[in-house]
Amino acid sequence: MKEDRMRATLFCDKCMDDTVHEVTYVDNILYQIRCVACDKSHSRGSEIQRELYLNYMERVFSKPKRFKNEAGDNLPHFLFSLPYRVMSKPFRTYKEIKDMFLYKRKI
């Protein structure tokens, strides 16, 4: 899971002023907004689990089409990289699913 944090000036309903907020994204999906001044936060706990799962499933189901497009674009490179990709894909998939479950526990 790729977790990105950034700061933005937003209106805080508790402070009643524009204050600095820390915005957290998980795999480019908005997860949490936290006011730095008063520490009030808004989170999307269970919703983000569903979105992460749907995003993963969408990538799984679109893989054959992406595979076909890549083979058509540059066949020599595709054939050269295929053995490595076939060997490493189970490990990359395992790592991604493991990260999803670890992040679920974190929420």
Side-chain angles (χ1 to χ4, degrees), residues 50-67:
R50 183 175 185 273
E51 285 186 49
L52 288 171
Y53 176 74
L54 290 175
N55 187 20
Y56 179 76
M57 293 309 294
E58 180 181 330
R59 287 192 349 257
V60 167
F61 290 130
S62 70
K63 187 65 173 179
K65 182 179 177 183
R66 291 183 287 134
F67 214 60

Side-chain angles (χ1 to χ4, degrees), residues 7-20:
R7 292 187 175 246
T9 302
L10 302 169
F11 182 80
C12 179
D13 57 351
K14 187 174 179 184
C15 299
M16 298 304 284
D17 196 16
D18 289 339
T19 57
V20 176

Side-chain angles (χ1 to χ4, degrees), residues 2-99:
K2 181 180 165 194
E3 186 174 296
D4 294 321
R5 294 176 190 265
M6 61 183 288
R7 292 187 175 246
T9 302
L10 302 169
F11 182 80
C12 179
D13 57 351
K14 187 174 179 184
C15 299
M16 298 304 284
D17 196 16
D18 289 339
T19 57
V20 176
H21 286 70
E22 186 176 76
V23 182
T24 306
Y25 290 92
V26 177
D27 283 346
N28 295 326
I29 300 170
L30 180 64
Y31 168 59
Q32 182 181 33
I33 300 173
R34 185 181 64 83
C35 178
V36 175
C38 69
D39 208 35
K40 182 178 180 181
S41 66
H42 301 281
S43 178
R44 301 179 55 208
S46 61
E47 293 174 26
I48 196 164
Q49 293 173 12
R50 183 175 185 273
E51 285 186 49
L52 288 171
Y53 176 74
L54 290 175
N55 187 20
Y56 179 76
M57 293 309 294
E58 180 181 330
R59 287 192 349 257
V60 167
F61 290 130
S62 70
K63 187 65 173 179
K65 182 179 177 183
R66 291 183 287 134
F67 214 60
K68 179 183 159 235
N69 290 342
E70 189 176 335
D73 291 345
N74 191 352
L75 187 60
H77 180 292
F78 174 76
L79 293 174
F80 182 75
S81 67
L82 189 61
Y84 171 76
R85 293 169 65 182
V86 168
M87 294 292 290
S88 68
K89 189 62 175 180
F91 299 108
R92 290 183 287 145
T93 303
Y94 170 75
K95 183 182 180 308
E96 188 169 354
I97 291 172
K98 180 181 158 188
D99 288 346

